[in-house]
Amino acid sequence: MLKINNLTVQVSNKKILENFNLEIKKGEIHALMGPNGAGKSTISKVLMRDLTYQISCGTITYNDEDLLKMNTTEVAKKGFFMVSQNPVEIAGITNAEMLRTALHDAGKNDLNILEFNRKMVAICEKLNLPSSFIHREINYNMSGGEKKKNELLHLWMLEPEFIILDEIDSGLDVDALKTVANSLLEYYQQFQPAILIITHQKSLLDILKPQYVHILGNRTIEENGDYSLAEEIFKHGFTRTHIMSESDKDE
Amino acid sequence: MIKMNKIIVKENKLILENTEILITDFENSDCTFHVYNNVKCGIFSLPKTTDFTIYIHEGAHFTLEFYGNLCNHNCNITIYNEDYSQLDFHISSKFTSDNTIKIENKIKASNTKVNILVRTVEENGTLNILAEGIIAEKTQNNEYLEDIRAITNNNNHIRIMPNLLVKSNSVKANHNATISNIKDEELFYLTGKGISKESAKELIKSGFLQSILKIEELKMGGEE
């Protein structure tokens, strides 16, 4: 289980999150919503141990282990996996090369090359991707939709237990969004991971149906609820509860 | 593709026509290439002192790729192009110790295409690259690209001098030189997949080097 207690995060002496608390158990889907600039993406970077974000106060534990003492590799090895809204392109490294290295470093290289390829082909089919994606360079020269599906190809291969989806619905057309969301739903039903969805769009939540919804404003979680809270936000907007980030106020 | 462990060229003259050749060890320090039609040539290892002169004859397309390590190398490459010829020249190399690469291409013909791509990774050494392209007057319809990039831990160890002198109005010419460290965002992305920092750095370096290679057998031959 993930427990975030009293967390304060800052970048270059500017507080982004303050007194932030959140608990996520295995098999739970949580949505973190909030206006632009509220710091939603910050929490995904903090969990993945991006050291640009300094922790000045608070704790994060995962299955009673101190996450803040881990580096990014160690967090990923614990089963964390983040899909960001604009995944990095790396020329020259193929998906297969990267995944084989990742599986090897995680001590999960029990698949021989044929089984590995067979599994990759099956996942590509599931994601409506040509099998040539196995040997495509990581996200290089891919459209926005292809990049997200490519990240899901990695997800299915690495089988994480804690998934962070950071605004992955941005830039996806209707069909790509359905494919991505349905694939995530299938993964959820099969493996029961914990999922944290960061978004302010409706479509992804309509398919994944989070059991818990949190509204971020003024650098902390200001409201908690179930899926009906998200529906209310979609209907009336964030201003209905007078939640507004400091940056929005300044504007 | 013809694979050769070692090549020694008699009278320092190598004539290549409609062929694909992969050379593990190129022995001649001094060699003149004459290229006709379509030729692909991949080389893994060069002599410490290399003096190559390359003639790409009319209508020929020459893909020349070097993928290997440089260590105390001094390479001079002079290129001559005839009309309608095309050159894809790719150097992809890690380097240690002190090295110099000098590429000189004077284009006096028309309707030629030249792509010179260099990717280097500093292990622990110095590298000077001088890429000199001259597009002569009264030439037409030439395309010329020099793109030289290096990854380093210490920028002082690499010096790139891309000189491009264009004397013709009818040309598309471009040159670029970049020296940088491994990008933090790439490192974060790969470590976020559970790859150790050291493995991620090696992957990024090898991907950077391989990104320009077109000869699959050369890529698969890998590094020493």
Side-chain angles (χ1 to χ4, degrees), chain B residues 135-177:
Chain B
I135 321 287
E137 285 174 278
K138 295 175 186 169
T139 58
Q140 288 191 326
N141 261 340
N142 289 306
E143 290 180 27
Y144 192 88
L145 169 71
E146 276 173 8
D147 183 10
I148 302 165
R149 300 183 197 181
I151 289 182
T152 179
N153 296 320
N154 181 348
N155 293 355
N156 295 328
H157 288 161
I158 303 179
R159 198 155 59 126
I160 301 174
M161 289 168 285
N163 289 337
L164 183 56
L165 187 60
V166 178
K167 295 180 178 176
S168 162
N169 289 329
S170 170
V171 62
K172 282 183 198 165
N174 223 321
H175 68 156
N176 169 55

Side-chain angles (χ1 to χ4, degrees), chain B:
Chain B
M1 183 161 263
I2 305 162
K3 291 184 182 173
M4 292 186 175
N5 286 335
K6 192 175 276 190
I7 188 164
I8 302 169
V9 184
K10 277 188 179 174
E11 294 171 1
N12 295 334
K13 188 174 175 183
L14 180 62
I15 297 172
L16 297 168
E17 185 171 358
N18 265 340
T19 187
E20 294 186 3
I21 183 169
L22 195 65
I23 302 163
T24 307
D25 214 346
F26 203 103
E27 288 275 301
N28 289 60
S29 287
D30 192 349
C31 183
T32 302
F33 293 76
H34 285 270
V35 179
Y36 299 90
N37 298 320
N38 279 318
V39 174
K40 281 184 185 175
C41 178
I43 301 172
F44 283 114
S45 172
L46 291 170
K48 296 284 179 198
T49 304
T50 305
D51 208 339
F52 285 170
T53 304
I54 301 167
Y55 288 91
I56 309 163
H57 291 278
E58 188 169 347
H61 183 177
F62 188 30
T63 303
L64 175 61
E65 295 192 332
F66 168 65
Y67 182 40
N69 294 332
L70 293 174
C71 177
N72 281 325
H73 276 74
N74 188 353
C75 308
N76 283 302
I77 297 130
T78 309
I79 303 155
Y80 295 97
N81 330 54
E82 289 187 359
D83 287 349
Y84 295 99
S85 66
Q86 185 172 339
L87 170 68
D88 292 302
F89 182 27
H90 306 151
I91 296 176
S92 207
S93 173
K94 285 185 181 175
F95 65 90
T96 49
S97 297
D98 301 325
N99 304 278
T100 302
I101 300 173
K102 190 178 169 196
I103 303 164
E104 196 181 310
N105 195 353
K106 287 178 188 162
I107 297 186
K108 293 179 179 170
S110 288
N111 300 296
T112 67
K113 267 189 191 175
V114 174
N115 291 303
I116 296 171
L117 309 179
V118 181
R119 299 289 182 270
T120 63
V121 170
E122 181 210 341
E123 290 291 276
N124 186 15
T126 68
L127 176 65
N128 288 303
I129 303 176
L130 172 62
E132 195 167 82
I134 299 173
I135 321 287
E137 285 174 278
K138 295 175 186 169
T139 58
Q140 288 191 326
N141 261 340
N142 289 306
E143 290 180 27
Y144 192 88
L145 169 71
E146 276 173 8
D147 183 10
I148 302 165
R149 300 183 197 181
I151 289 182
T152 179
N153 296 320
N154 181 348
N155 293 355
N156 295 328
H157 288 161
I158 303 179
R159 198 155 59 126
I160 301 174
M161 289 168 285
N163 289 337
L164 183 56
L165 187 60
V166 178
K167 295 180 178 176
S168 162
N169 289 329
S170 170
V171 62
K172 282 183 198 165
N174 223 321
H175 68 156
N176 169 55
T178 313
I179 301 171
S180 62
N181 297 318
I182 287 176
K183 289 178 191 160
D184 287 344
E185 66 199 55
E186 292 184 354
L187 211 50
F188 178 68
Y189 177 89
L190 292 176
T191 51
K193 306 282 185 194
I195 296 171
S196 70
K197 203 169 180 178
E198 290 68 33
S199 300
K201 281 183 180 175
E202 285 311 308
L203 262 183
I204 291 168
K205 286 178 190 174
S206 112
F208 175 73
L209 293 175
Q210 291 196 7
S211 62
I212 56 169
L213 299 177
K214 301 286 175 227
I215 301 173
E216 284 303 317
E217 289 89 340
L218 200 62
K219 273 190 200 182
M220 286 156 65
E223 300 158 56
E224 287 167 10

Side-chain angles (χ1 to χ4, degrees), chain A residues 32-51:
Chain A
L32 182 62
M33 302 175 73
N36 291 333
K40 299 186 296 299
S41 294
T42 299
I43 199 64
S44 65
K45 299 281 178 59
V46 168
L47 289 175
M48 293 307 296
R49 303 297 294 122
D50 182 340
L51 298 181

Side-chain angles (χ1 to χ4, degrees), chain A residues 118-177:
Chain A
R118 218 173 285 144
K119 191 172 177 187
M120 291 275 277
V121 169
I123 298 167
C124 284
E125 274 174 24
K126 208 187 303 221
L127 291 164
N128 290 332
L129 290 172
S131 54
S132 59
F133 265 64
I134 298 170
H135 301 293
R136 284 281 298 270
E137 295 161 82
I138 301 170
N139 297 323
Y140 186 66
N141 278 341
M142 292 184 191
S143 70
E146 285 176 332
K147 281 182 186 172
K148 306 291 165 54
K149 289 182 189 177
N150 198 48
E151 290 298 308
L152 289 200
L153 171 62
H154 301 169
L155 181 142
W156 277 95
M157 288 300 292
L158 298 174
E159 297 180 0
E161 57 178 58
F162 195 106
I163 301 166
I164 305 162
L165 306 171
D166 187 1
E167 301 201 34
I168 62 159
D169 35 15
S170 68
L172 287 184
D173 65 37
V174 184
D175 293 335
L177 184 81

Side-chain angles (χ1 to χ4, degrees), chain A residues 11-243:
Chain A
V11 176
S12 312
N13 294 327
K14 190 187 172 193
K15 279 184 186 167
I16 313 285
L17 296 175
E18 199 171 11
N19 193 26
F20 183 96
N21 295 284
L22 185 65
E23 284 191 14
I24 302 179
K25 293 185 188 128
K26 181 177 163 49
E28 290 180 351
I29 303 181
H30 289 240
L32 182 62
M33 302 175 73
N36 291 333
K40 299 186 296 299
S41 294
T42 299
I43 199 64
S44 65
K45 299 281 178 59
V46 168
L47 289 175
M48 293 307 296
R49 303 297 294 122
D50 182 340
L51 298 181
T52 320
Y53 298 85
Q54 299 131 19
I55 313 298
S56 51
C57 180
T59 58
I60 306 178
T61 56
Y62 183 66
N63 295 335
D64 298 323
E65 287 187 80
D66 188 350
L67 202 89
L68 297 178
K69 283 193 177 148
M70 299 178 198
N71 61 32
T72 306
T73 305
E74 288 162 341
V75 169
K77 281 184 181 173
K78 292 286 171 197
F80 281 70
F81 185 97
M82 179 177 76
V83 185
S84 68
Q85 58 178 307
N86 193 17
V88 172
E89 293 186 16
I90 310 181
I93 308 174
T94 65
N95 282 321
E97 272 176 292
M98 187 276 284
L99 287 167
R100 287 199 76 82
T101 309
L103 288 167
H104 175 267
D105 282 10
K108 290 186 199 164
N109 49 349
D110 47 345
L111 291 180
N112 67 38
I113 187 93
L114 282 175
E115 291 166 333
F116 175 86
N117 281 341
R118 218 173 285 144
K119 191 172 177 187
M120 291 275 277
V121 169
I123 298 167
C124 284
E125 274 174 24
K126 208 187 303 221
L127 291 164
N128 290 332
L129 290 172
S131 54
S132 59
F133 265 64
I134 298 170
H135 301 293
R136 284 281 298 270
E137 295 161 82
I138 301 170
N139 297 323
Y140 186 66
N141 278 341
M142 292 184 191
S143 70
E146 285 176 332
K147 281 182 186 172
K148 306 291 165 54
K149 289 182 189 177
N150 198 48
E151 290 298 308
L152 289 200
L153 171 62
H154 301 169
L155 181 142
W156 277 95
M157 288 300 292
L158 298 174
E159 297 180 0
E161 57 178 58
F162 195 106
I163 301 166
I164 305 162
L165 306 171
D166 187 1
E167 301 201 34
I168 62 159
D169 35 15
S170 68
L172 287 184
D173 65 37
V174 184
D175 293 335
L177 184 81
K178 263 188 196 165
T179 309
V180 165
N182 285 325
S183 176
L184 283 165
L185 185 62
E186 189 186 338
Y187 185 88
Y188 174 73
Q189 286 162 346
Q190 196 172 327
F191 294 97
Q192 290 292 298
I195 302 181
L196 174 62
I197 308 168
I198 295 164
T199 189
H200 39 204
Q201 310 259 10
K202 191 169 183 292
S203 345
L204 188 63
L205 299 188
D206 277 346
I207 296 176
L208 288 176
K209 289 276 187 308
Q211 302 100 344
Y212 303 91
V213 175
H214 315 279
I215 310 298
L216 188 63
N218 290 329
R219 301 193 287 262
T220 192
I221 289 177
E222 295 215 326
E223 200 173 355
N224 296 295
D226 56 18
Y227 186 60
S228 63
L229 177 59
E231 286 177 320
E232 206 178 311
I233 296 292
F234 293 133
K235 215 179 261 182
H236 305 290
F238 294 109
T239 48
R240 106 219 184 283
T241 50
H242 308 290
I243 291 167

